[in-house]
Amino acid sequence: MRRTCLLYQGDRPIPYLTAWQWQKELVGERKQARREGKDLADVLLLMEHPAVYTLGQGSSLEFLKFNLDDPQIECHRIERGGEVTHHAIGQLIAYPILNLDHHQRDLHWYLRQLEEVIIQVLAKFGVPSQRIQGLTGVWIDNAGQVQKIAQVGIKVSQWITMHGFALNINMDLTGFNRIVPCGITDCQVCNLNQFVSNVDFVEVKKAIAQTFAETFNLEMQFITSLTTPDL
C-alpha cells in the first residue's frame, strides 16, 4: 500500500520566510505526533520564491560577493547542509516533509532519491542529466560545459526531512553572479528553457509531483491550504 503524501502547490510566489516557517511547523507536528504514538502523512510543498539567498548552517561567507548588510538583498542562514544558493521566480522549489521511518533511514539514499526525481523529470522533457561524484545536485552537459540545473540541500531531524531541491526552469540566472554557487569555483548554472523551448512551468511542476510519488511510492492527495486539520 502506498503511503499518503499531501501535495501543496503554490500558485503564486511564497516569501521564503513563510515557507521556512511552514516547514518547521510541519516537522514539529510530526515529531509531536510520533511522541503521542500517531503517524501524520508525508507532505510535499512545491512553490516559487521571490529573489533570496540562503546559506547552509555551516556555509562560508567567503562565497558571497555582496554585503550582508545590503538592505536590497534578502539572505538567510538556515538549517540545511551545503553552501550558499539563490532562489528566484522561475525556479521550482520542492520541500518534502517525509518520515524516513516509512522509507529508508539513510541520508545518502535520500539525497540520491531526490536527485533521481530531477533526473527522471528532465528525461521526460528529453534532456539528459547526470550526477557528479562527491557533489550533490544535478548537472547537464551543455556543449561540452557541465552546468548545474538543480541544487539539493536537506535537513533531517529524528528522521523527518525538511528543505529539499530547487530546479532552474526559466529564472533570471544573473542572481547567481553575486555568489559562488554551492561553494564551487567556476560553477556554471543553467535553465531548463535553454534546452526545451517554451517549457511550461506548470507541466514541470506536474511532472515533479508525479515522479516524486513514483520514486517514493506515495499516493498524492492534493490540498489547497496548509491549515488543513489532517496536516
Side-chain angles (χ1 to χ4, degrees):
M1 180 180 295
R2 290 193 167 196
R3 179 171 169 79
T4 298
C5 181
L6 306 178
L7 174 62
Y8 174 83
Q9 303 182 85
D11 58 1
R12 59 183 175 81
I14 303 294
Y16 186 83
L17 290 179
T18 299
W20 189 16
Q21 184 61 34
W22 285 350
Q23 292 183 76
K24 289 186 282 190
E25 290 175 358
L26 290 166
V27 169
E29 289 164 1
R30 275 143 189 79
K31 289 180 178 179
Q32 180 62 35
R34 175 190 282 156
R35 288 191 290 269
E36 297 172 354
K38 301 174 184 177
D39 178 35
L40 297 181
D42 290 336
V43 181
L44 177 62
L45 311 177
L46 297 180
M47 59 187 62
E48 294 174 272
H49 294 315
V52 62
Y53 295 89
T54 66
L55 295 157
Q57 59 185 349
S59 60
S60 174
L61 298 181
E62 68 180 283
F63 299 125
L64 302 183
K65 299 179 182 179
F66 60 84
N67 191 324
L68 281 174
D69 296 327
D70 188 336
Q72 302 300 314
I73 301 176
E74 183 179 359
C75 183
H76 305 288
R77 187 178 289 278
I78 57 177
E79 311 95 333
R80 67 164 173 79
E83 293 292 343
V84 62
T85 195
H86 175 55
H87 303 306
I89 304 301
Q91 182 191 66
L92 179 59
I93 314 293
Y95 296 127
I97 312 296
L98 304 185
N99 184 341
L100 294 183
D101 283 341
H102 298 281
H103 297 280
Q104 191 163 321
R105 284 189 169 201
D106 185 325
L107 300 189
H108 293 289
W109 171 87
Y110 178 58
L111 286 167
R112 303 294 84 78
Q113 292 296 94
L114 294 181
E115 292 167 345
E116 187 63 25
V117 170
I118 301 162
I119 289 169
Q120 290 188 24
V121 166
L122 293 174
K124 291 178 180 179
F125 285 88
V127 179
S129 58
Q130 65 192 62
R131 298 179 179 87
I132 292 182
Q133 184 68 32
L135 301 175
T136 58
V138 176
W139 310 72
I140 288 179
D141 187 334
N142 186 7
Q145 184 179 53
V146 178
Q147 300 178 332
K148 196 169 192 178
I149 194 169
Q151 303 83 45
V152 179
I154 65 169
K155 168 69 175 180
V156 179
S157 176
Q158 298 177 28
W159 297 109
I160 298 175
T161 71
M162 64 184 295
H163 299 296
F165 65 81
L167 174 62
N168 307 337
I169 299 176
N170 52 15
M171 70 184 294
D172 180 358
L173 297 174
T174 60
F176 285 99
N177 295 337
R178 289 174 163 171
I179 61 174
V180 177
C182 305
I184 303 171
T185 304
D186 298 326
C187 176
Q188 301 296 313
V189 293
C190 61
N191 268 321
L192 180 56
N193 69 351
Q194 295 174 230
F195 310 93
V196 181
S197 60
N198 301 316
V199 62
D200 188 290
F201 193 94
V202 173
E203 288 303 310
V204 178
K205 189 186 294 186
K206 289 179 181 177
I208 287 287
Q210 178 184 20
T211 307
F212 189 89
E214 294 168 352
T215 301
F216 287 94
N217 194 33
L218 297 166
E219 186 71 37
M220 289 298 184
Q221 178 180 324
F222 294 88
I223 59 173
T224 58
S225 170
L226 290 180
T227 59
T228 301
D230 292 339
L231 279 172

